[in-house]
Every structure is written in structure tokens, then in C-alpha cells.
Amino acid sequence: VRPLSKDSIAYVDHFYLDANQIIYRCRESLQLLDTTKIEGQKNEEIETQLILSVFEYIEELLSIVSPSKTLFIAFDGVPPRA
């Protein structure tokens, strides 16, 4: 399996994301960075970090894929035609 890069993507019209998986990935990344730091924070601070992490990851994906017509982000359930 090769890492996803802008060079490996030819052309994309429609891009469908299952954001639940992105949320879990970002949550795990935050926990791996520093568990002791997360345990001492308030829920609001952790939520803010998680939301920012999700936005950054989606922006990273969009910088690679750059769909020309549709971006569909499903936060509750799977995206259509998944």
C-alpha cells in the first residue's frame, strides 16, 4: 500500500468522506501524543483540540484530492454509495 499523494490521484469529480473514521483517527492521534496532558484537561479543551485536528485532516485530504464537483462529508453513518 502506497501513501496517498497528489501525484497518485489523477482526477476526482466526487469525494465522499466518512467523518466518523476521521474523528476516531484524530482522537487516537491526540491520545498517542501525550496521554497525561489529555487526562488533566477539561472536556471543552479536549473537544476543541479534536475538532481542530479533524478540520486539519480534512484539509490535508482535500489538498491531495481536490474534487472538482462534490464534497460530501457524512458525520452520522456512512456516506452514500460507500
Side-chain angles (χ1 to χ4, degrees):
V1 176
R2 295 181 320 192
L4 189 62
S5 71
K6 203 168 190 96
D7 297 331
S8 66
I9 305 293
Y11 184 78
V12 175
D13 281 332
H14 310 282
F15 191 45
Y16 297 88
L17 289 172
D18 177 2
N20 287 323
Q21 291 303 317
I22 294 172
I23 291 168
Y24 290 125
R25 178 193 179 279
C26 292
R27 185 181 136 266
E28 287 177 9
S29 294
L30 286 175
Q31 285 181 338
L32 290 175
L33 289 176
D34 190 354
T35 306
T36 57
K37 184 177 177 187
I38 289 176
E39 288 174 359
Q41 290 179 327
K42 296 179 181 178
N43 286 339
E44 295 84 21
E45 294 170 342
I46 297 169
E47 288 174 6
T48 300
Q49 285 182 344
L50 180 60
I51 291 168
L52 291 174
S53 180
V54 168
F55 286 152
E56 287 172 4
Y57 188 69
I58 290 173
E59 287 176 350
E60 180 182 338
L61 291 174
L62 290 176
S63 73
I64 295 170
V65 177
S66 299
S68 63
K69 295 182 181 179
T70 305
L71 168 64
F72 187 94
I73 304 174
F75 277 92
D76 189 16
V78 296
R81 296 183 233 148

